[in-house]
Amino acid sequence: MAEKNYTVTGMSCAACANAVEKALNKNNDINASVNIATEKLNIEYDEKKYNFDKIRKIVESAGYGLVEDMTEDKKLELYQEKITSLKNRLILAIVFVVPLLYISMGHMLGATLPEFLNPKVNPLNFALAQFVLTLPIIYAGRDFFSHGFKNLARKSPTMDSLIAIGATAAVLYGIYATFRIITVDPEAHMDLYYESAGTIITLILFGKLLEAKTKGQTSSAIKKLIGLQPKKAKIIENGAEKEVLIENLKVGDIVIVKPGEKIAVDGRIVEGATSVDESMLTGESLPVSKKVGDKVVGGSINKNGSIRFEATEIGKNTVLSQIIKLVEEAQGSKAQISRMADIVAAYFVPIVIGIAIITGIAWFLSGSGLVTALSFFIAVLVIACPCALGLATPTSIMVGTGKGAENGILIKSGEALETAYKIKTVVFDKTGTITKGKPILTNLIAYGKYNENELLKIAASVENDSEHPLAEAIVNKAKEKNIEIKPYEKFRAMPGYGIRATFEGKEVQIGNRKLMENRKINVEISQKDYDILSNEGKTPMYISIDNEFAGLVAVADVIKETSKEAIEKLKKMGIKTIMLTGDNEKTAKFIAKQVGIDDVISEVLPNQKSQKVKELQEKDEFVAMVGDGINDSPALAQANVGIAIGNGTDVAIESADIVLIRNDLRDVAGAIALSKATITNIKENLFWAFFYNVLGIPFAAGIFYAFFNGPKLDPMIAAFAMSFSSVSVLGNALRLKFFKIFK
């Protein structure tokens, strides 16, 4: 099964999205989901049976369009075209609705009409003038009629169907009244309904324009990220500088970046040194020093030195493109709470049409007359449009994930954003998560004939080519002390034990107690020092030379500056914290105590981590796992919410639901707080949408008017209220933009 994302065009409400889903999902081997807020279609299908063209035809048969490769720039262009079109059509409607209202209702307010339009003197002119003025307004709102009736014919009525039925009923009754004026009843000018149709269309066009503009603001996070990408780059070609479009760059191209310019794509510096502003990724305000061999990231800004770098990742493979992709996928995904609203919206429109018909018949049979019955019929249709209901959840998800992205928290799905607020227990990996993952040499104790500097020279020389973090700590300390590192002769790594090498004719071993015991090397003289170092959270290792114990070397992984504060924030939120590590118990407990973690599970093998998370879940705990390494990926996948550190491995990031780009553990609490704020916002939106319809429909149906002598809801007021409902839901979602993700 292939999984793709496409853009659907021509949708206006949640019922439209449901119509597309219905058309696709009735086909075998297709599983489709449409997000009305992002206009994204997520579809899984059998590639042997379907391709894009076949899928597009299915969508088109439902009355909508499908675009395969919709860039954000193209989407923005189409959005602007839509806004311009709505604006022009609204202006056209206003130009004609103003005189329409003046002619139809002005005389009731004491306005003077010319004699040839006076309803008492020339009722036919009065009616025909309104009819003529209504026609351009109908043209301005033509999409409501074309889409509405087409979807009604397909048995998938939408919001447009409600508007089309209501406005058409008003116009047809106006034509009927005009015919009565011509034939039998000049007083029928009192029953004209042209102004209701014209005003409804105008008000809904106004609401649509506001909705389109507000919707545009919800996707500002994507726009900001795309804005980080430069359009062009300078490369070296045949020894000369050449400017090319960024999409024409190839892997291996040598790119020139001068001070103040943006770095076009990901790469590795081959010439020069500089400092780079990577705040767009890391959130760190201070520039990062870069030299030959260092990586640079597309979208970051070169500050003060000219550099040349080799392009290593281009197009969709750059870090920035991957981030944009993750945000797009998150904004296009559906949360569980959204699916509930979709189900309601799918049945809502047909139910409303039924209620409107029953309302009209009931009022007609009550003896109130056709005019009154028609008024209530139209009011029910217009006020009950489910736009607010359909927009309630996806707009909040869009803004919430966008807010996270702006603050270095990549939430990969709407479901992750929806569930994160439920977290009661956070499990942390130690190395690289709570700690920096870059150990430093803290102690070197000599016991034999070699002094500390001699031991450091020997240890650094044999560990020089090792990629192990502990080896790196020893080598870095030697370089720091300007101790000469010489080549070794033989080297053997022994996983789980240590290393063995030959240096200057001597056999050197560096490792744990098991390694020493295998060679029957007595290390008891160092036991007291070993225990002290272990209790301080350090990792001691033994050094032997020619099978004689020579010294003890200890390294420690430094705790991140923000780890303690991050744990404190979680505790204030009532969340339990646990450290899950393969390190020894003493070291683990020491680190845990330093940062304030509640519980420790130590000496866990990589393949056991996911099992430990599962055991916590079986105790009815809603668990988040925070990690950075390949060994953490099964646990990240097992957890209710997996949270990966941004500088972690690709596997860990792929397995996680949330990625912390800034490598700041405080963002764990920030992600949970954002989830809570988003869910609260969604509930507010849904409450307003449901409350509005629960109250609005009986009000429009005249129940309060009939039984409580309340006011009668005019269809024009209903149209205004419907538009206001959608805009208010969007406005409430936008409040999330101002949510403060604490530090």
Side-chain angles (χ1 to χ4, degrees):
M1 297 286 280
E3 185 175 356
K4 301 282 185 179
N5 284 290
Y6 303 124
T7 299
V8 183
T9 59
M11 295 190 298
S12 60
C13 66
C16 298
N18 284 314
V20 176
E21 288 180 358
K22 184 179 175 182
L24 288 165
N25 288 331
K26 70 180 182 182
N27 296 277
N28 293 329
D29 300 313
I30 288 182
N31 182 24
S33 173
V34 179
N35 187 307
I36 183 63
T38 62
E39 298 174 339
K40 288 283 187 183
L41 163 66
N42 179 268
I43 183 168
E44 293 180 1
Y45 60 89
D46 188 343
E47 287 185 289
K48 294 178 182 177
K49 294 182 180 180
Y50 300 97
N51 55 28
F52 173 75
D53 288 333
K54 285 186 177 180
I55 293 167
R56 177 172 53 80
K57 285 177 182 177
I58 296 171
V59 174
E60 287 175 348
S61 70
Y64 305 93
L66 195 67
V67 181
E68 186 173 12
D69 295 311
M70 179 71 81
T71 64
E72 197 64 28
D73 286 342
K74 182 64 177 176
K75 188 177 178 181
L76 187 62
E77 183 185 328
L78 291 175
Y79 224 76
Q80 289 302 319
E81 287 177 4
K82 183 180 179 180
I83 289 173
T84 302
S85 174
L86 281 169
K87 191 182 293 181
N88 292 337
R89 288 159 60 191
L90 177 62
I91 292 169
L92 175 65
I94 290 171
V95 166
F96 286 92
V97 84
V98 170
L100 175 62
L101 288 172
Y102 181 82
I103 294 170
S104 63
M105 304 176 69
H107 64 285
M108 301 178 190
L109 303 173
T112 304
L113 288 174
E115 188 170 326
F116 76 95
L117 290 176
N118 191 310
K120 294 181 180 180
V121 180
N122 291 295
L124 182 59
N125 289 351
F126 178 74
L128 289 174
Q130 292 182 56
F131 175 70
V132 171
L133 288 168
T134 304
L135 292 177
I137 301 172
I138 292 172
Y139 176 75
R142 59 192 179 277
D143 288 352
F144 301 141
F145 297 91
S146 62
H147 294 157
F149 285 121
K150 281 180 182 177
N151 287 319
L152 194 63
R154 296 187 181 100
K155 299 179 182 179
S156 299
T158 63
M159 183 207 78
D160 289 344
S161 303
L162 300 181
I163 296 166
I165 295 170
T168 301
V171 172
L172 289 177
Y173 190 79
I175 293 171
Y176 169 67
T178 304
F179 182 74
R180 283 171 55 204
I181 292 170
I182 296 171
T183 55
V184 293
D185 186 10
E187 293 300 315
H189 69 81
M190 299 293 291
D191 297 339
L192 297 172
Y193 253 83
Y194 295 122
E195 82 284 351
S196 291
T199 307
I200 287 169
I201 292 170
T202 304
L203 286 171
I204 291 174
L205 279 171
F206 177 66
K208 285 288 181 185
L209 179 60
L210 288 179
E211 185 181 309
K213 286 187 173 183
T214 311
K215 260 188 178 181
Q217 295 178 45
T218 62
S219 60
S220 61
I222 296 285
K223 294 174 190 173
K224 286 180 181 177
L225 288 170
I226 289 174
L228 295 171
Q229 295 178 315
K231 302 296 182 186
K232 296 179 179 179
K234 292 176 185 172
I235 65 170
I236 299 292
E237 191 175 276
N238 299 323
E241 288 189 20
K242 180 183 177 182
E243 191 170 70
V244 296
L245 293 172
I246 190 171
E247 53 264 32
N248 294 331
L249 279 174
K250 302 184 296 292
V251 172
D253 280 344
I254 303 300
V255 185
I256 302 170
V257 191
K258 295 178 181 178
E261 293 179 345
K262 285 185 178 179
I263 292 168
V265 293
D266 300 357
R268 193 177 298 275
I269 296 176
V270 295
E271 185 181 318
T274 186
S275 58
V276 177
D277 180 0
E278 295 181 342
S279 58
M280 40 74 74
L281 283 176
T282 64
E284 295 292 334
S285 57
L286 293 176
V288 182
S289 296
K290 299 285 184 179
K291 62 184 186 300
V292 172
D294 289 343
K295 292 180 181 178
V296 289
V297 180
S300 57
I301 302 170
N302 183 28
K303 298 297 288 184
N304 53 19
S306 293
I307 58 169
R308 297 186 179 190
F309 71 89
E310 180 185 357
T312 56
E313 301 290 349
I314 60 172
K316 295 180 179 180
N317 295 323
T318 65
V319 170
L320 185 58
S321 294
Q322 291 295 316
I323 291 172
I324 292 171
K325 183 185 176 186
L326 284 174
V327 177
E328 284 179 331
E329 288 176 351
Q331 293 189 338
S333 64
K334 282 190 179 181
Q336 193 62 41
I337 198 168
S338 180
R339 295 185 183 99
M340 177 195 70
D342 285 350
I343 293 169
V344 173
Y347 294 100
F348 196 73
V349 174
I351 289 171
V352 167
I353 293 173
I355 292 172
I357 292 170
I358 293 168
T359 298
I361 293 171
W363 278 103
F364 181 74
L365 295 177
S366 72
S368 298
L370 186 57
V371 175
T372 300
L374 185 65
S375 175
F376 286 116
F377 171 76
I378 295 171
V380 171
L381 286 174
V382 173
I383 202 168
C385 291
C387 291
L389 189 61
L391 292 168
T393 300
T395 49
S396 296
I397 295 291
M398 274 185 77
V399 179
T401 52
K403 185 69 181 179
E406 289 175 11
N407 289 272
I409 303 170
L410 283 188
I411 302 164
K412 294 166 71 174
S413 69
E415 190 172 352
L417 183 62
E418 182 189 8
T419 55
Y421 82 100
K422 300 177 185 177
I423 293 169
K424 297 297 180 187
T425 302
V426 178
V427 179
F428 292 93
D429 170 52
K430 179 180 77 70
T431 305
T433 302
I434 291 173
T435 65
K436 291 184 177 181
K438 292 184 178 180
I440 60 170
L441 191 148
T442 57
N443 302 85
L444 199 157
I445 306 170
Y447 294 97
K449 60 184 179 180
Y450 298 96
N451 61 39
E452 290 180 4
N453 283 345
E454 288 173 331
L455 275 180
L456 183 57
K457 176 183 177 179
I458 294 168
S461 295
V462 299
E463 294 275 26
N464 192 34
D465 292 330
S466 174
E467 295 179 355
H468 197 283
L470 302 182
E472 188 180 353
I474 294 171
V475 173
N476 286 342
K477 178 61 96 175
K479 289 179 178 178
E480 185 185 310
K481 296 182 73 171
N482 293 319
I483 291 175
E484 185 184 6
I485 298 174
K486 292 185 175 182
Y488 56 84
E489 296 165 21
K490 295 178 183 178
F491 181 90
R492 181 187 172 193
M494 296 172 286
Y497 294 89
I499 64 104
R500 183 177 296 147
T502 303
F503 177 75
E504 295 182 343
K506 305 178 184 69
E507 186 183 78
V508 181
Q509 295 185 122
I510 304 175
N512 56 24
R513 185 181 288 270
K514 290 179 183 177
L515 179 63
M516 299 295 116
E517 288 174 351
N518 280 350
R519 286 299 184 96
K520 296 182 171 51
I521 299 170
N522 189 349
V523 297
E524 291 303 317
I525 190 174
S526 67
Q527 189 60 51
K528 185 179 178 181
D529 292 327
Y530 186 97
D531 291 340
I532 292 171
L533 293 170
S534 295
N535 290 331
E536 290 176 351
K538 299 170 183 176
T539 301
M541 293 178 291
Y542 301 100
I543 303 175
S544 73
I545 300 174
D546 286 338
N547 287 330
E548 290 185 9
F549 179 55
L552 198 64
V553 61
V555 298
D557 194 358
V558 180
I559 296 170
K560 290 179 180 177
E561 294 81 359
T562 58
S563 293
K564 187 176 181 180
E565 187 182 345
I567 304 301
E568 288 173 354
K569 288 185 181 297
L570 290 170
K571 283 189 172 182
K572 285 179 182 178
M573 298 170 75
I575 294 171
K576 182 182 178 182
T577 55
I578 298 173
M579 181 193 289
L580 184 63
T581 178
D583 213 335
N584 66 76
E585 186 180 0
K586 286 183 178 179
T587 301
K589 284 187 174 180
F590 181 83
I591 297 293
K593 187 179 179 182
Q594 292 288 97
V595 297
I597 280 182
D598 298 315
D599 199 5
V600 174
I601 305 173
S602 59
E603 299 179 21
V604 179
L605 296 173
N607 60 355
Q608 296 175 331
K609 284 190 173 184
S610 61
Q611 182 58 37
K612 295 294 181 181
V613 171
K614 190 177 180 180
E615 288 172 8
L616 291 170
Q617 291 172 316
E618 288 171 351
K619 297 176 184 177
D620 293 327
E621 294 191 39
F622 203 89
V623 180
M625 173 71 194
V626 186
D628 72 315
I630 293 174
N631 63 327
D632 298 321
S633 54
L636 289 169
Q638 174 64 43
N640 299 97
V641 179
I643 304 174
I645 304 299
N647 63 355
T649 64
D650 292 342
V651 176
I653 292 170
E654 188 67 28
S655 304
D657 303 298
I658 298 172
V659 181
L660 308 181
I661 294 294
R662 299 191 288 207
N663 311 313
D664 191 336
L665 280 190
R666 292 175 297 184
D667 285 337
V668 174
I672 297 170
L674 179 61
S675 173
K676 287 182 178 179
T678 304
I679 292 300
T680 300
N681 192 271
I682 289 172
K683 288 178 178 178
E684 290 169 351
N685 285 346
L686 287 174
F687 171 80
W688 168 247
F690 279 115
F691 176 79
Y692 170 83
N693 283 295
V694 168
L695 182 65
I697 291 176
F699 199 81
I703 291 174
F704 293 105
Y705 176 73
F707 298 103
F708 306 103
N709 200 29
K712 178 183 173 184
L713 186 65
D714 188 275
M716 292 183 286
I717 304 296
F720 175 80
M722 188 277 286
S723 297
F724 177 75
S725 171
S726 298
V727 173
S728 63
V729 164
L730 286 165
N732 188 52
L734 284 173
R735 287 196 308 111
L736 280 171
K737 282 191 160 190
F738 304 102
F739 176 74
K740 302 280 186 189
I741 296 179
F742 47 75
K743 282 291 183 204

